[in-house]
């Protein structure tokens, strides 16, 4: 008997190791704009807070999460117009990924269906198989300018009596869209009419461009107890490796989410203490990142639109570009593989975000600086590894395709 027969059937089969996991061993000539882990170095006052907490003895169990952190989170979220009760509505998680997993662990039985948009963030749906649930893609459509928008009629068609939840990121990864009030209201109406939960992944709310405003779907009428908000320090404070995030939900739903046996909170207490310091301000570090991201976006969108057969809109939020490459005649996976082979530049095929609508695009994470940018980076950026250099490589590649 193979060991595999003892393993949960949903996770059997061949292992696929993403090159991202091997990133630290990447050859020196590679530029990776694949994973969304930015280059920014955490400011010293936050790093010091970790050490101070250890020195003060916060190295013990922290059952249920630090109440002061829950208060800081609720205070932070209030800026979006929604007031959560810190003790009844906030759960500390080890990053957005644990939040997503715990949300599904609360609601899914085998055979349930979860709708995600095509295109959408893969990590928002990868846990489904583990719970024996089925993923249903709902295609987005592009507007006249080239922005992805939800197609509410298409979404309606995907709803069945087995639909348990809709997963959405706002702002979107990879689409870069920020949902309008009308779009959120249309989704909320469907959730109420058809009795499903909205998992609202709001991990990029600090990075919104062009005067758009983040509206939390949980703040819409009667949505409190059918919304699970996912957030994290990951992108906000360039904190990916310190694994800190949270869930905000209605008081009833939170009491169920809390019953998922995740053990004691997964975030080491000294890191929680540092998160309190970070969330209590000042916010210069976050504002500085936002300013650098927007410069990167403006530079790269311009460069991309000058390349043959590439079209790219300026995102409304987040720090990804998702240009349309369909005019090159290549499938997105082929485009990325050839680009890597010829130019040692790593980006992600759109098919990873959605098989139908995501295809024909590639995702570029703007996680490296322009040569003119000055915020401290956690790794040395050589002059031939800047964003300008990455765009030069991409330009050479697209020109070689157009020949
Ligand atoms: C939309 C979205 N949600 C969640 C995550 C995962 O976040 P974390 O690293 O906090 O688990 C990511 C990471 O890229 C993301 O883009």
């Amino acid at each position: 008997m193979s060991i595999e027969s003892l393993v949960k059937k949903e996770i059997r089969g061949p292992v696929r190791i993403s090159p991202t996991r091997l990133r630290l061993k990447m050859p020196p000539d590679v530029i990776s704009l694949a994973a969304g882990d930015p280059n920014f170095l955490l400011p010293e006052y936050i790093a010091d807070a970790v050490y101070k907490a250890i020195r003060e003895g916060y190295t013990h169990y922290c059952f249920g999460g630090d109440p002061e952190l829950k208060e800081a989170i609720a205070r932070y979220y209030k800026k979006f117009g929604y007031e959560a009760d810190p003790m009844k509505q906030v759960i500390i998680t080890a990053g957005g990924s644990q939040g997503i997993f715990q949300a599904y662990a609360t609601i899914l039985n085998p055979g349930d269906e979860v709708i995600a948009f095509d295109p959408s963030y893969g990590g928002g749906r990868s846990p489904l198989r583990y719970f024996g649930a089925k993923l249903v893609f709902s295609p987005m459509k592009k507007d006249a300018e080239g922005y992805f928008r939800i197609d509410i009629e298409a979404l309606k068609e995907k709803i069945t009596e087995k639909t348990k939840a809709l997963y959405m990121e706002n702002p979107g990864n990879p689409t870069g869209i920020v949902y309008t009030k009308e779009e959120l209201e249309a989704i909320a109406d469907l959730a109420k009419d058809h009795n499903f939960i909205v998992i609202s992944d709001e991990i990029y709310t600090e990075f919104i461009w062009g005067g758009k405003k983040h509206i939390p779907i949980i703040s819409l009428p009667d949505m409190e107890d059918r919304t699970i908000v996912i957030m994290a320090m990951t992108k906000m404070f360039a904190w990916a490796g310190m694994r800190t995030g949270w869930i905000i939900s209605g008081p009833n739903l939170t009491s169920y989410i809390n019953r998922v046996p995740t053990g004691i909170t997964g975030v080491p207490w000294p890191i929680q203490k540092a998160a309190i310091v970070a969330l209590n301000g000042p916010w210069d570090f976050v504002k500085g990142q936002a300013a650098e991201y927007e410069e990167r976006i403006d530079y790269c969108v311009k460069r991309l639109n000058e390349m043959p057969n590439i079209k790219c809109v300026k995102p409304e939020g987040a720090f990804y570009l998702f240009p349309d490459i369909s005019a090159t005649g290549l499938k997105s996976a082929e485009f990325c593989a050839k680009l890597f082979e010829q130019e040692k530049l790593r980006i992600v095929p759109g098919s990873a975000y959605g098989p139908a609508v995501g295809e024909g695009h590639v995702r570029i994470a703007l996680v490296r600086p322009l040569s003119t940018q000055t915020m401290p980076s956690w790794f040395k950026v050589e002059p031939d590894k800047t964003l300008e250099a990455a765009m030069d490589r991409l330009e050479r590649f697209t020109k070689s395709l157009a020949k």
Side-chain angles (χ1 to χ4, degrees):
M1 279 287 245
S2 75
I3 284 294
E4 200 177 61
S5 66
L6 300 175
V7 169
K8 199 171 155 59
K9 72 177 185 326
E10 287 81 4
I11 54 171
R12 289 179 200 162
V15 185
R16 185 188 151 268
I17 300 180
S18 143
T20 307
R21 304 216 182 275
L22 306 173
R23 187 161 41 118
L24 298 177
K25 289 191 197 144
M26 205 86 78
D29 54 343
V30 171
I31 301 180
S32 182
L33 302 180
D37 188 0
N39 65 299
F40 300 107
L41 182 69
L42 196 67
E44 229 165 274
Y45 75 96
I46 302 177
D48 285 348
V50 179
Y51 183 52
K52 181 168 173 279
I54 295 173
R55 294 288 301 266
E56 286 172 359
Y58 291 103
T59 50
H60 296 270
Y61 286 132
C62 181
F63 295 110
D66 190 313
E68 235 190 287
L69 176 55
K70 293 185 175 189
E71 278 162 25
I73 289 166
R75 215 166 26 245
Y76 164 72
Y77 202 66
K78 220 165 119 178
K79 79 173 188 176
F80 300 115
Y82 181 78
E83 209 162 335
D85 178 320
M87 295 316 286
K88 293 200 183 118
Q89 293 187 255
V90 179
I91 297 173
I92 312 289
T93 61
S97 307
Q98 187 198 318
I100 293 167
F101 195 90
Q102 199 166 336
Y104 288 137
T106 308
I107 60 174
L108 291 182
N109 289 311
D112 286 345
E113 293 177 2
V114 173
I115 302 176
F117 293 112
D118 173 353
S120 60
Y121 169 63
R125 38 191 157 80
S126 52
L128 295 183
R129 207 158 62 102
Y130 184 79
F131 296 107
K134 187 178 154 203
L135 165 67
V136 177
F137 274 117
S138 178
M140 284 193 165
K141 59 181 179 193
K142 272 191 185 172
D143 68 12
E145 279 177 88
Y147 285 94
F148 287 94
R149 303 266 46 130
I150 54 162
D151 180 342
I152 208 75
E153 289 309 314
L155 176 57
K156 256 187 222 164
E157 277 173 28
K158 300 294 175 183
I159 299 170
T160 72
E161 70 283 1
K162 292 188 182 153
T163 305
K164 253 306 171 51
L166 167 75
Y167 168 82
M168 56 183 274
E169 340 84 26
N170 182 22
N173 167 16
T175 59
I177 57 165
V178 172
Y179 285 72
T180 63
K181 183 133 191 268
E182 292 68 36
E183 288 170 330
L184 294 171
E185 281 168 347
I187 291 172
D189 286 346
L190 288 179
K192 286 180 275 187
D193 290 350
H194 297 274
N195 194 32
F196 61 80
I197 283 172
V198 176
I199 299 180
S200 176
D201 187 334
E202 301 176 16
I203 207 163
Y204 295 101
T205 43
E206 284 306 316
F207 305 118
I208 292 186
W209 323 114
K212 298 265 168 190
K213 207 170 150 256
H214 176 65
I215 303 167
I217 194 165
I218 194 171
S219 65
L220 299 186
D222 301 319
M223 282 306 286
E224 227 179 28
D225 268 316
R226 54 174 72 253
T227 304
I228 303 179
V229 177
I230 307 293
M231 284 191 126
M233 302 292 282
T234 307
K235 317 289 172 176
M236 209 188 282
F237 281 88
W239 193 290
M242 298 223 287
R243 314 305 305 136
T244 315
W246 55 87
I247 284 172
I248 296 176
S249 189
N252 291 329
L253 192 48
T254 304
S255 76
Y256 291 106
I257 303 168
N258 256 329
R259 293 182 212 180
V260 174
T262 53
I264 61 162
T265 174
V267 188
W269 206 349
I271 308 262
Q272 293 191 54
K273 287 294 185 200
I276 298 167
V277 170
L279 287 174
N280 284 344
W283 284 77
D284 317 29
F285 176 59
V286 178
K287 286 194 191 126
Q289 288 181 79
E292 288 212 354
Y293 279 138
E294 197 168 11
E295 277 176 17
R296 295 176 191 187
I297 289 169
D298 288 342
Y299 173 83
C300 291
V301 168
K302 183 167 180 295
R303 287 289 308 266
L304 283 162
N305 284 318
E306 287 162 1
M307 294 178 201
N309 298 319
I310 308 286
K311 270 193 289 192
C312 186
V313 291
K314 176 173 177 172
E316 296 172 333
F319 46 77
Y320 304 103
L321 302 180
F322 200 53
D324 189 326
I325 54 120
S326 54
T328 64
L330 294 183
K331 290 278 186 201
S332 59
E334 205 186 340
F335 184 98
C336 293
K338 284 198 162 152
L339 172 65
F340 185 74
E341 196 184 303
Q342 276 179 232
E343 294 289 347
K344 301 284 175 285
L345 173 62
R346 285 200 62 231
I347 56 174
V348 186
S351 54
Y353 302 93
V357 187
E359 181 52 86
H361 301 79
V362 292
R363 194 196 75 167
I364 305 173
L366 302 182
V367 292
R368 281 177 181 261
L370 291 164
S371 60
T372 48
Q373 296 189 322
T374 53
M375 276 182 71
S377 182
W378 74 278
F379 54 85
K380 189 168 164 25
V381 181
E382 311 284 349
D384 61 346
K385 300 283 176 45
T386 58
L387 267 188
E388 289 97 327
M391 288 300 119
D392 290 346
R393 291 185 190 198
L394 194 53
E395 184 177 276
R396 209 161 38 224
F397 175 68
T398 52
K399 281 186 174 161
S400 79
L401 291 179
K403 266 184 197 156

